[in-house]
């Protein structure tokens, strides 16, 4: 958005135009917005119920490609640090928001996420956010992710009405 932040309202939120949340915002969604993490050889896949978006996180040691196309979700590469999955995310398009208040991310956003399994039912999620276009210093968020334990839980079809 080209508007100064003080003029933005919740009605300006890009997600109201049916575009993906972006990261780390996608991980902060209310509990009714489900996601699924699938661990495959050499990669992790995160499937989001909202907008049917997905993210493939290679864990085979590769770096970000030199010719990355900027997107809402960015480009992710992961590596294991003991029992913690560390995900480096770059190549954001600068069109997503961090929250509903209008705190937006710039094109130079860089996020390092850490997923640590703390029990069979909990993952500790941590993200270090660096964005020189938006913040004067790195920001860090941390919170638990809870495994849904209901019988036959599954991602559902999510329709966007505008």
């Amino acid at each position: 958005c080209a508007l100064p932040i003080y003029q933005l309202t919740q009605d300006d939120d890009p997600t109201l135009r049916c575009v993906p949340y972006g990261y780390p915002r996608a991980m902060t969604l209310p509990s009714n917005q489900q996601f699924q993490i699938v661990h495959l050889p050499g990669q992790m896949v995160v499937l989001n119920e909202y907008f049917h978006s997905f993210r493939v996180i290679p864990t085979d040691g590769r770096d970000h490609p030199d010719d990355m196309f900027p997107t809402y979700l960015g480009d992710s590469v992961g590596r294991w640090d003991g029992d913690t999955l560390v995900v480096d995310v770059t190549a954001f398009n600068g069109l997503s928001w961090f929250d509903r208040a209008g705190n937006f991310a710039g094109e130079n956003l860089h996020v390092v996420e850490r997923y640590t399994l703390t029990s069979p039912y909990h993952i500790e999620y941590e993200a270090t956010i660096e964005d020189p276009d938006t913040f004067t210093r790195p920001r860090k968020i941390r919170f638990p992710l809870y495994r849904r334990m209901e019988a036959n839980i599954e991602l559902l079809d999510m329709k966007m009405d505008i």
Side-chain angles (χ1 to χ4, degrees):
C1 286
L3 298 173
I5 194 165
Y6 61 85
Q7 293 180 355
L8 297 175
T9 70
Q10 289 183 359
D11 293 335
D12 297 311
D13 189 339
T15 61
L16 297 178
R17 293 186 303 277
C18 302
V19 297
Y21 276 109
Y23 284 88
R25 184 178 180 187
M27 300 307 293
T28 66
L29 297 176
S31 61
N32 64 339
Q33 303 296 328
Q34 306 306 316
F35 63 91
Q36 181 177 0
I37 299 173
V38 181
H39 186 189
L40 301 168
Q43 64 184 353
M44 301 289 280
V45 179
V46 180
L47 306 169
N48 293 291
E49 185 173 74
Y50 202 60
F51 301 127
H52 298 285
S53 64
F54 66 92
R55 176 167 68 149
V56 177
I57 305 169
T59 57
D60 58 6
R62 74 179 75 176
D63 290 326
H64 293 284
D66 292 332
D67 59 348
M68 294 183 295
F69 183 80
T71 66
Y72 287 97
L73 301 179
D75 182 75
S76 300
V77 294
R79 64 177 172 78
W80 290 99
D81 181 9
D83 292 335
T84 298
L85 175 63
V86 179
V87 182
D88 187 84
V89 194
T90 61
F92 291 95
N93 62 13
L95 300 175
S96 64
W97 287 12
F98 290 113
D99 52 36
R100 291 290 308 265
N103 294 303
F104 57 90
E107 293 178 358
N108 294 310
L109 174 64
H110 177 231
V111 179
V112 177
E113 300 172 298
R114 299 178 66 82
Y115 297 81
T116 305
L117 189 64
T118 56
S119 82
Y121 311 105
H122 302 92
I123 293 175
E124 181 74 20
Y125 176 79
E126 179 182 294
T128 302
I129 304 161
E130 297 177 284
D131 189 347
D133 299 330
T134 307
F135 301 123
T136 57
R137 60 181 172 81
R139 303 287 186 182
K140 189 175 283 195
I141 60 173
R142 180 183 311 150
F143 50 85
L145 301 174
Y146 299 99
R147 184 177 182 183
R148 299 292 302 264
M149 298 304 298
E150 299 90 334
N152 302 317
I153 189 77
E154 61 184 58
L155 297 179
L156 301 175
D157 190 21
M158 191 274 178
K159 182 176 180 272
M160 183 72 171
D161 292 320
I162 32 179

